[in-house]
Amino acid sequence: MATILKAENLEKIYRVGKVDVPALRGVSLAAQEGEFVAVMGPSGCGKSTMLHLLGGLLTPTRGRIVVDGEDLTAASDAKRTDIRRRKIGFVFQRFNLFPTLTAEGNLRLAERIHGNGADDILRMLRLEDKMHHKPLELSGGEQQRVALARAVVNRPAIVLADEPTGNLDSENSALVLKMFRELNDRFNQTIIMITHNPEAAAACQRVIQMRDGHIV
Ligand SMILES: Nc1ncnc2c1ncn2[C@@H]1O[C@H](COP(=O)(O)OP(=O)(O)O)[C@@H](O)[C@H]1O
Ligand SMILES: [Mg+2]
């Protein structure tokens, strides 16, 4: 198996006023093509910070990140955005859909940015009937499926998910997890998913435990 994502000695210090808040204190990890990894750990231990660094939404204070052979940390802002668009899909706890666009509109927008694939994905996630609904006309579970569809519309090599089932009831959690697994199987996408849900973690091939800015 090939390594698709590699992080070395990542440190992140947030500056709040005059105070330094160390959020990551030297994290190294590697993920392989097609791997499905869970990240667990108490609130505030640095999980979201790590995910945002891995996806190029934030830059580390120190350390190096290589995505599919491309060095994110050495890249300019424009280059980093470009790598992120081509290689990475994000799913968040709060769905983050555009409220004024329908399900289809949210996907078409992503498709315009990213390329083809919306129809296939809508069918796969069983959302054909909901295409013309706006987010507020959808259940939480349906919104998260649209968000998942949007994240994978251009078949990114890596999907990063931050507590994707955190706002869902158990039935919808199970459905969304099943879809993550299907995407992982069908497209061999590498998935890194932060979760507090032991059932979700059990569905993954590997669990990374974090504590106080470290992987333990
Ligand atoms: N934008 C920010 N500015 C300042 N401190 C932050 C910011 N984001 C997170 N932190 C702090 O960094 C630490 C790690 O936060 P986070 O990565 O969100 O943890 P987790 O996702 O595990 O709950 C916490 O102490 C948090 O308060
Ligand atoms: Mg978090």
Side-chain angles (χ1 to χ4, degrees):
M1 269 200 305
T3 300
I4 190 90
L5 178 64
K6 198 167 160 195
E8 290 167 356
N9 290 312
L10 287 185
E11 293 179 33
K12 180 67 181 178
I13 300 169
Y14 293 106
R15 181 103 198 172
V16 182
K18 288 182 178 162
V19 180
D20 283 342
V21 180
L24 282 191
R25 302 163 185 266
V27 162
S28 299
L29 69 92
Q32 310 304 311
E33 252 172 41
E35 213 182 1
F36 194 171
V37 183
V39 179
M40 301 186 86
S43 179
C45 72
K47 302 180 298 296
S48 295
T49 300
M50 181 178 81
L51 205 75
H52 289 182
L53 289 173
L54 294 178
L57 292 174
L58 278 178
T59 53
T61 308
R62 283 186 207 87
R64 185 160 171 261
I65 299 161
V66 179
V67 174
D68 199 11
E70 299 192 79
D71 191 331
L72 262 191
T73 30
S76 65
D77 284 0
K79 178 70 184 166
R80 198 170 64 246
T81 302
D82 174 60
I83 297 171
R84 190 171 72 225
R85 284 186 176 163
R86 283 185 289 115
K87 312 251 180 192
I88 296 167
F90 283 97
V91 181
F92 300 97
Q93 181 173 0
R94 291 185 191 286
F95 321 136
N96 292 3
L97 297 173
F98 283 97
T100 57
L101 296 178
T102 61
E104 186 186 21
N106 270 279
L107 279 181
R108 295 286 169 215
L109 180 64
E111 197 179 40
R112 226 170 40 230
I113 298 169
H114 294 303
N116 293 317
D119 294 326
D120 249 17
I121 294 283
L122 275 170
R123 231 171 292 125
M124 185 175 157
L125 300 188
R126 291 170 212 103
L127 287 163
E128 308 101 301
D129 300 344
K130 307 289 178 178
M131 285 214 316
H132 304 296
H133 293 240
K134 291 183 180 167
L136 284 176
E137 300 158 358
L138 297 169
S139 72
E142 288 164 349
Q143 287 184 62
Q144 193 60 301
R145 273 148 63 200
V146 176
L148 182 55
R150 179 182 59 176
V152 299
V153 72
N154 72 325
R155 310 276 199 275
I158 301 166
V159 178
L160 302 176
D162 195 345
E163 301 190 36
T165 62
N167 279 343
L168 303 180
D169 60 29
S170 57
E171 192 180 329
N172 277 301
S173 293
L175 194 55
V176 164
L177 279 173
K178 182 162 168 265
M179 287 171 174
F180 270 102
R181 272 201 307 275
E182 264 179 58
L183 290 167
N184 177 248
D185 277 351
R186 289 242 323 242
F187 303 124
N188 204 35
Q189 283 171 321
T190 303
I191 302 174
I192 300 182
M193 178 176 71
I194 297 173
T195 184
H196 290 294
N197 177 349
E199 281 164 37
C204 297
Q205 292 156 0
R206 176 156 66 109
V207 180
I208 290 173
Q209 290 282 354
M210 289 186 72
R211 199 165 299 267
D212 200 18
H214 294 283
I215 289 178
V216 293

